[in-house]
Amino acid sequence: MAENLWVQWMHSYYFAKTGVMTYDIKASNSWIAKRILSQRGIIPEVQHEWEASFQRQKFKVSTFYNCLIDNGNRVIWRNILRNNKARPRATFCLWVSCHNRLATKVRMARLGFLPGEVTTCSLCKLEEEDMEHLFFECPITGGVWASILDWIDVKHQHQNWNAELCWISNIANRKGWKMELLKVALAETVYGIWTMRNKICFDGIGNSLCIENSIKDTILYRVWQYRKLRIHIANLML
């Protein structure tokens, strides 16, 4: 564990003059570091495993996850990400989106990286580009998401980001192939839209039809790997 490059960087940058447990969180720390360090208070609950990890010089995330899974601090969207069969990059993008940390223009302006007058949506050029607008109030991204939902035969009138997240969160614990497909569809659609937005914003290229077809192809490829789901998605290829 001590030879891990990330561990070495953390110790040299954050803990060079103090220990992990006594380090004072600063405003300049990254938000990920802040989140990790803010959880130090729960260490007494898993003290036995914490000491054991030091003795064996090996930290297992799964061990601590299992210890803390019943601590009551669960987010409502946990079941959307759990066992999601989308690509890792897509599930990570979805995870960042659930934390409302994507670098939309409104967020970048709020952090001081963009002037406030250039926060117009990169896609529709009509409204300010924040999470609510980008997913899925924007007429372009809303059309993509509506098309994906219709393609997988899910009857639902899409709304803005928070409403969609609550909707899927409330049904994400259901069993069945369609729920598996919906979770993959959300992750791949969010990632596809974010990729399209970046290409248009930085390269001036990209369109909704291409990204819609790419999302569908990726969903088919990811889900086809699971034999139990193949029979149910065969009709999507027609």
Side-chain angles (χ1 to χ4, degrees), residues 72-89:
N73 296 322
R74 300 182 181 184
V75 291
I76 63 169
W77 39 262
R78 63 188 182 278
N79 288 326
I80 300 177
L81 293 171
R82 182 181 297 166
N83 297 322
N84 194 313
K85 295 175 174 58
R87 291 172 295 174
R89 71 184 72 174

Side-chain angles (χ1 to χ4, degrees), residues 99-119:
H99 281 285
N100 199 24
R101 289 297 191 274
L102 282 182
T104 61
K105 287 185 176 181
V106 169
R107 176 170 168 76
M108 296 299 285
R110 188 165 61 247
L111 295 174
F113 294 110
L114 277 179
E117 63 270 16
V118 294
T119 56

